[in-house]
Amino acid sequence: GESVGLHLPTLSVQEGDNSIINCAYSNSASDYFIWYKQESGKGPQFIIDIRSNMDKRQGQRVTVLLNKTVKHLSLQIAATQPGDSAVYFCAEGGGGGNKLTFGTGTQLKVEL
Amino acid sequence: GAVVSQHPSWVICKSGTSVKIECRSLDFQATTMFWYRQFPKQSLMLMATSNEGSKATYEQGVEKDKFLINHASLTLSTLTVTSAHPEDSSFYICSGAVSTYGYTFGSGTRLTVV
């Protein structure tokens, strides 16, 4: 069936470096993509989203890039901090209250 | 912002008993609520979609008679795990559709069946 997958299950970065987390999606009909951060024992926390009619969107220290040609999504975190350590999920959906499909997740570890 | 309050945060129950998990939307009307299950070190898997006042739509492979969902009001949705067994031990998370492109998640419920 349709799925959203990640290339790297674990990513270790030095504090202060930039982090890039990747995601591949397979449903070309998806028009809405979200990145979530999940800390241990907690629910997902919204980070940033992007619509399919956009290629890039920036937030505070985070940037999401969408490449529809190769069905690829990435999350860039600038100046990674220890508090950024968590599991990051991409999710895709059709909008309008439709269900989200989550990727497999990437564990981000920030080393001091 | 929109908040979904989920309770309990953790629960331990004996095999064969039932457990109810509640999710309340505190400052918005949750017409649609999604229920997910998450096993350790795995992703969120959608179990069912519930719409206020109607029957829930379950994903393939999810037993509707085992995982009872009630969404009788715009502010409350419940998931009851009936006749729980150790393999049902998991992290259950609800999510409310706030707007066309907005979703807010509960804090999750850690269920342990012994």
Side-chain angles (χ1 to χ4, degrees):
Chain A
E2 299 288 0
S3 64
V4 177
L6 296 180
H7 298 299
L8 299 173
T10 303
L11 176 64
S12 295
V13 299
Q14 292 291 322
E15 181 181 5
D17 288 350
N18 296 332
S19 302
I20 299 177
I21 300 172
N22 297 300
C23 176
Y25 66 94
S26 59
N27 189 349
S28 58
S30 294
D31 65 358
Y32 182 54
F33 304 88
I34 314 171
W35 280 102
Y36 288 99
K37 172 185 180 182
Q38 186 181 30
E39 296 175 289
S40 181
K42 298 183 179 180
Q45 175 187 354
F46 173 89
I47 299 175
I48 192 168
D49 59 2
I50 189 168
R51 296 279 304 277
S52 60
N53 61 353
M54 302 173 67
D55 297 323
K56 179 180 180 179
R57 192 165 185 220
Q58 289 183 295
Q60 186 175 10
R61 284 202 304 121
V62 294
T63 300
V64 55
L65 298 178
L66 176 63
N67 186 330
K68 295 180 289 293
T69 301
V70 295
K71 298 179 185 175
H72 185 267
L73 192 69
S74 69
L75 175 69
Q76 300 178 5
I77 304 174
T80 312
Q81 303 169 0
D84 295 327
S85 294
V87 177
Y88 290 80
F89 292 97
C90 63
E92 62 174 318
N98 289 342
K99 59 185 180 182
L100 293 176
T101 299
F102 280 77
T104 54
T106 292
Q107 174 76 57
L108 177 63
K109 296 183 178 180
V110 181
E111 301 173 346
L112 302 178
Chain B
V3 175
V4 169
S5 177
Q6 182 171 349
H7 294 280
S9 56
W10 62 270
V11 58
I12 301 174
C13 71
K14 291 184 177 180
S15 185
T17 62
S18 296
V19 173
K20 179 183 287 187
I21 301 170
E22 293 188 349
C23 279
R24 295 180 181 274
S25 56
L26 299 185
D27 47 8
F28 71 101
Q29 293 183 327
T31 304
T32 302
M33 192 76 79
F34 304 95
W35 286 94
Y36 296 86
R37 178 168 53 184
Q38 185 179 31
F39 293 107
K41 298 189 183 300
Q42 294 188 24
S43 186
L44 282 73
M45 297 301 296
L46 181 67
M47 299 175 66
T49 301
S50 71
N51 292 295
E52 184 267 336
S54 62
K55 292 183 178 181
T57 301
Y58 291 81
E59 295 299 301
Q60 189 173 7
V62 178
E63 300 175 59
K64 63 179 181 180
D65 294 330
K66 181 172 184 60
F67 299 99
L68 302 179
I69 293 174
N70 184 284
H71 195 163
S73 77
L74 289 172
T75 59
L76 175 64
S77 179
T78 62
L79 168 67
T80 300
V81 183
T82 63
S83 185
H85 292 285
E87 57 265 31
D88 298 323
S89 297
S90 187
F91 193 56
Y92 293 86
I93 309 171
C94 61
S95 172
V98 180
S99 61
T100 301
Y101 296 102
Y103 307 84
T104 186
F105 286 80
S107 55
T109 298
R110 173 73 59 194
L111 171 63
T112 302
V113 184
V114 298

